[in-house]
Amino acid sequence: MKMYNDCLPCIARGALDAARLSTEDEQAQQKIVKAVLARLAEIEMDTPPPLMARYIQESVEKYTGVKDPFKDLKQEYNDLALDLYPQLRAKKDQGRTPKHRFELAVRLSIAGNIIDFGAASEVGRQKVLDTISHALSTRVNGEIASLDRAVQKAKSILWLADNTGEIVFDKLLLEEMDTRKITYVVRGGNAQNDATMADARYTGITDMVCVMDSGAAIPGTIVSICSREFRDAYEKADLIISKGQGNFETLDHRDPRIFF
C-alpha cells in the first residue's frame, strides 16, 4: 500500500514520540525529527509506510544510542494484557457453542489491536477496556463464519502477529484453533511496539504454538525483504491471518489466502 498525504504528519508525530521515549535531550529530539522530515521530503509516495518506521528507529539509535525506545511500553502492555487475560478468557468461555466462543475470541483478538503506539501516542488501561466492550458489541466488518471455515479447512496456517499486549489477546483465539497446524510470526527485530520473539516467550505464546520471526525489523510484512525461512513458510501456507495496520499496508490484498 502506498503512502497518502495523511501519512506524512502521522510519521512526523511518530518520530517525535520515539525521540521523546529515547531521550529528554530536546536537541537530540530535534535532530531525529529533522532527519525523518528530510527523508519524508525525498521519499516516493508509493513507499509502504512501515519502511519509514524503520528509518525512525535507525535515526533514534544514531542520535541517542537507544536501540528500543518502546522497551518500557512493551513491557507495560504485555503485563496489562496478561493481567486482563483471566477475565477475557472468562468472557470468551461464556460462549454457548464452539462457534460462539470462536466469534468472541475473534472479537477480543481484534480488540487487542488498540495497543498500537505507531497509530496513537497514548493508549491507557481505560481505552483498552472501552475497546474490549466495543469489540464485543459492534458489527464486525467481515464474515467471522468464513474465517472459521477457512481455519477448519486449512492444513497450514501462518499467523502474522502485530503488537505487544495484543499478542496476549491472540492467545484467546489460538485456544480455539488446532495449534499444530499454525506458525505464529513475530517481527525480526525491534520495530515500534510490535512483538518480537522475546515478547512471544514472555507472554507464553511459545508454549502454545510454533513461533518464528519474519527476519525483518519493520512494523509490517514486506515479503521480499524477509528471511528465506519466512518466505518459504509464506508460500506454503493455505491460510494467512494478518493482524494490524502495518501488515495491512504491506501485504497483497489480492491474495485470497489472507484474512486481515
Side-chain angles (χ1 to χ4, degrees), residues 11-21 29-30 32-33 36 56:
I11 290 168
R13 193 261 316 149
L16 180 57
D17 288 345
R20 284 174 169 165
L21 287 171
Q29 294 172 4
Q30 290 169 14
I32 293 165
V33 175
V36 172
I56 292 172

Side-chain angles (χ1 to χ4, degrees), residues 188-202:
N190 297 323
Q192 294 179 346
N193 69 307
D194 285 23
T196 64
M197 187 64 74
D199 299 300
R201 294 191 187 100
Y202 183 77

Side-chain angles (χ1 to χ4, degrees), residues 92 95-105 148 152 176:
K92 182 192 70 172
R96 299 177 299 278
T97 64
K99 288 187 179 299
H100 189 203
R101 285 195 300 275
F102 185 88
E103 177 180 336
L104 291 173
D148 193 359
Q152 299 301 325
E176 302 301 314

